[in-house]
Amino acid sequence: MNMRNQWPVLPIVAGLASGLLTGCGTENGDSGSEGSSVVMGMSDDVLATDPASGYDPGSWLLFNNVFQSLLSFPKGATEPQPEAAEECAFTDTSTRVYQCTLKDGLKFSNGDALTSEDVKFSFDRMLKINDEAGPAIMFPMLEKVETPDEKTVVFRLNTADATFPSKIASGAGSIVDQKSYEASGLRKDGEAVGSGPYKLDSFSEDEAVFSVNEHYKGTAEVRNTGVTLKFFHGDQTALKTALLDKKVDIAYRGLAASDIADIEKADPGSGVEIVDGNSAEVQHLVFNMDDPVTGKPGVRKAIAHLLDRDALMEDIYKGTATPLYSIIPAGIAGHNTAFFDTYGAKPDKTKAAAALSADGITDKVKLTLWSTPSRYGPATDDELKAIAGQLNASGLFDADVKSVAFDRYEQDIADGKYGVYVKGWVPDYPDADNFTGPFFGEGNVLSNNYTNSTITGTLIPRTASESDRAATDSDYGRLQDIVAEDVPVLPLWQGKQYAVTRDNVYGLEYCLDASTVFRFWELSKD
């Protein structure tokens, strides 16, 4: 599996003290004023309005609200359920034929009827365009789409893939109107025609305006009359000022801890609250298995024995992330704590020294940790410096940190120039497959020269073909244990999601979960 999913991972409130976190928007959201419109400010840009191109957080936020998929993730859930479809199921035991029946009366926002031909068109178009910034790379298994009648869609796969329902439930499964899109070219007018809860009224460099789609027929219950999304292009000061001046109701992905502290210090009764939610965003140290230093198991295991995740969470991230002890994060079925079980939570110099000694290493290990300053969060450089400090404090390492721009960083990794480097990951869909196949399958995205025949030959194919996802727990547990023993990567942390909101806005807790779907329709405002 060769999947590109290295989105810009920006911890939303880097450094926010956990004691500041409060809940917001309880069931009172149901009584929010109908007819209210919500204004949200965001630091991320929306890079595409055409779902054949966008493969970034901002674009998928738009897709998840303007377009329907056959399936969707209900709030707080990691199992997809029917959305545009009335029902979907594998029709064979090998999980290679997946069939969906559409709901009656589906229409796009322009009034055109949505039929099975539009579904086929959407997938055929995405694969034909195969945009390098698009999600086609998620579907190497899709051989063809058939439409025996206007309500039936049949997907034929060339390999077994039990996670196919989760893939089509993501933004990559967005259905477009075949009358409004070219079959072989991207739409570049900034407009969109979908059948989701909202329609896109306008899109510019600084804002996108959404209104309720009167033709929508699906599971979402809309609690507002529209959403305006304002783009701040990374300008945290401008976003903070807009929130304080009540020009935006919500600040999503962009305010740092210092901004929150300034707000509370300036006016304790400012009416601003912090909402946090679960996230499946993760970060790892990655080891080049062909490097003369990190290619030695003793070096990797010594680092695993010396890493103090709790200190990193307290000193660097201030509670905005939690320690991660395996490659599959908490909240995703199949998660275990393999690295905790193998290496513990506290630094152990004795065990680290023993690991080095077992590899014949008696001198200090000279090591450079490679970083990139913003792609995986603004605290990444400081985090790696703290890790280097932990290693050096043991007396076993002589470690330093070097940080380079992302384009050079990626090229150097591909060229095998780094022994150890950092990678962040936000999943396409909340299934253990998306944290294992891309990392350890053939053509993995880590470029670290790690292969394990049990993982690639047995565990990944077997878990991919198992339609009962609960039945994969044992195999995923074994896979995680193998990774903890081999240490091609070292899990560091699992993130949280944050939004800062005026206290008259409700429903945000239904927008921040491991599915990564931000649900406009759950928002309401007094």
Side-chain angles (χ1 to χ4, degrees):
M1 183 181 299
N2 183 13
M3 301 180 62
R4 180 191 60 79
N5 186 17
Q6 297 175 56
W7 289 346
V9 181
L10 301 175
I12 292 75
V13 191
L16 179 62
S18 58
L20 296 177
L21 302 181
T22 62
C24 176
T26 61
E27 294 301 322
N28 293 334
D30 293 342
S31 62
S33 173
E34 291 189 7
S36 61
S37 180
V38 178
V39 181
M40 187 167 85
M42 186 172 72
S43 64
D44 286 331
D45 292 325
V46 172
L47 301 181
T49 60
D50 188 329
S53 177
Y55 200 21
D56 59 278
S59 298
W60 278 33
L61 183 148
L62 184 150
F63 301 161
N64 287 325
N65 289 284
V66 171
F67 299 95
Q68 273 185 302
S69 299
L70 291 167
L71 307 170
S72 65
F73 294 102
K75 55 192 176 187
T78 56
E79 290 291 329
Q81 300 296 322
E83 170 58 26
E86 185 68 38
E87 60 181 359
C88 292
F90 283 104
T91 59
D92 66 330
T93 57
S94 65
T95 63
R96 296 176 96 168
V97 181
Y98 194 69
Q99 180 170 311
C100 294
T101 303
L102 296 178
K103 286 184 170 74
D104 291 326
L106 293 174
K107 292 183 179 181
F108 291 102
S109 58
N110 61 5
D112 289 347
L114 190 164
T115 72
S116 60
E117 286 297 326
D118 294 292
V119 180
K120 173 178 170 57
F121 174 84
S122 300
F123 281 92
D124 288 350
R125 172 178 183 266
M126 173 183 60
L127 293 175
K128 181 178 182 179
I129 293 174
N130 194 25
D131 188 72
E132 64 178 11
I137 198 167
M138 290 176 61
F139 296 98
M141 81 301 293
L142 182 53
E143 187 170 290
K144 62 179 176 179
V145 185
E146 299 172 342
T147 55
D149 58 58
E150 67 176 15
K151 287 185 60 179
T152 305
V153 183
V154 179
F155 298 93
R156 296 194 180 275
L157 313 183
N158 52 37
T159 57
D161 187 358
T163 68
F164 187 74
S166 291
K167 293 184 172 89
I168 66 172
S170 73
S174 298
I175 303 167
V176 303
D177 182 0
Q178 62 181 322
K179 296 178 182 178
S180 302
Y181 290 80
E182 294 181 11
S184 57
L186 293 174
R187 186 166 183 163
K188 298 179 180 179
D189 58 3
E191 297 184 8
V193 179
S195 58
Y198 293 84
K199 57 183 178 181
L200 180 63
D201 293 334
S202 65
F203 180 82
S204 67
E205 182 180 354
D206 294 324
E207 72 174 20
V209 179
F210 305 83
S211 61
V212 177
N213 176 15
E214 63 183 359
H215 295 297
Y216 171 72
K217 184 176 183 179
T219 60
E221 297 180 11
V222 180
R223 305 182 189 279
N224 55 63
T225 57
V227 173
T228 297
L229 187 59
K230 292 187 175 292
F231 308 125
F232 287 81
H233 312 296
D235 189 339
Q236 295 181 339
T237 300
L239 181 54
K240 178 178 72 172
T241 300
L243 185 68
L244 284 173
D245 291 347
K246 301 183 180 180
K247 293 181 180 178
V248 300
D249 301 308
I250 301 166
Y252 177 57
R253 296 183 67 89
L255 287 186
S258 58
D259 297 317
I260 306 303
D262 288 346
I263 292 171
E264 294 201 331
K265 183 177 180 180
D267 182 3
S270 61
V272 172
E273 298 185 62
I274 315 302
V275 186
D276 70 335
N278 295 326
S279 171
E281 174 188 333
V282 298
Q283 192 186 84
H284 303 315
L285 280 183
V286 182
F287 298 105
N288 181 353
M289 305 296 277
D290 287 349
D291 184 82
V293 178
T294 58
K296 296 179 179 179
V299 172
R300 303 193 301 273
K301 292 182 179 182
I303 295 172
H305 278 301
L306 294 173
L307 183 65
D308 189 342
R309 295 173 179 81
D310 289 334
L312 296 176
M313 299 309 102
E314 180 178 352
D315 298 339
I316 306 299
Y317 289 100
K318 307 297 183 184
T320 62
T322 58
L324 180 62
Y325 290 99
S326 196
I327 53 173
I328 299 172
I332 302 296
H335 164 77
N336 73 6
T337 55
F339 279 81
F340 179 91
D341 301 338
T342 307
Y343 303 101
K346 297 299 181 183
D348 192 323
K349 177 181 176 179
T350 301
K351 290 183 178 179
L356 292 173
S357 178
D359 232 346
I361 300 169
T362 55
D363 296 330
K364 279 188 179 182
V365 178
K366 188 169 180 59
L367 188 68
T368 294
L369 309 179
W370 287 92
S371 180
T372 189
S374 60
R375 177 74 176 194
Y376 304 123
T380 305
D381 284 355
D382 289 338
E383 176 192 7
L384 263 67
K385 290 175 184 176
I387 293 173
Q390 292 176 2
L391 298 179
N392 293 341
S394 71
L396 301 172
F397 283 83
D398 178 10
D400 64 356
V401 176
K402 292 183 180 178
S403 181
V404 298
F406 185 68
D407 53 353
R408 177 188 158 189
Y409 184 79
E410 285 290 273
Q411 186 58 56
D412 286 351
I413 289 172
D415 292 342
K417 293 182 179 180
Y418 301 159
V420 56
Y421 46 94
V422 64
K423 284 283 188 178
W425 187 258
V426 175
D428 296 309
Y429 50 93
D431 188 280
D433 174 80
N434 202 225
F435 297 90
T436 53
F439 293 167
F440 310 112
E442 294 183 11
N444 76 73
V445 300
L446 298 177
S447 301
N448 68 333
N449 306 299
Y450 174 68
T451 58
N452 180 283
S453 59
T454 300
I455 291 177
T456 56
T458 302
L459 298 177
I460 287 179
R462 195 157 64 199
T463 53
S465 64
E466 178 54 70
S467 57
D468 179 1
R469 301 311 287 160
T472 63
D473 285 357
S474 177
D475 279 344
Y476 279 125
R478 187 179 175 202
L479 191 157
Q480 290 168 95
D481 290 344
I482 291 172
V483 171
E485 175 62 27
D486 292 349
V487 204
V489 300
L490 186 57
L492 298 175
W493 54 256
Q494 177 175 349
K496 298 178 183 178
Q497 294 190 80
Y498 295 96
V500 189
T501 179
R502 309 297 309 182
D503 59 8
N504 64 334
V505 177
Y506 303 97
L508 265 167
E509 77 276 21
Y510 301 130
C511 304
L512 307 173
D513 61 33
S515 72
T516 71
V517 176
F518 194 101
R519 304 169 179 87
F520 281 173
W521 58 90
E522 295 289 352
L523 301 174
S524 63
K525 185 173 71 170
D526 285 342

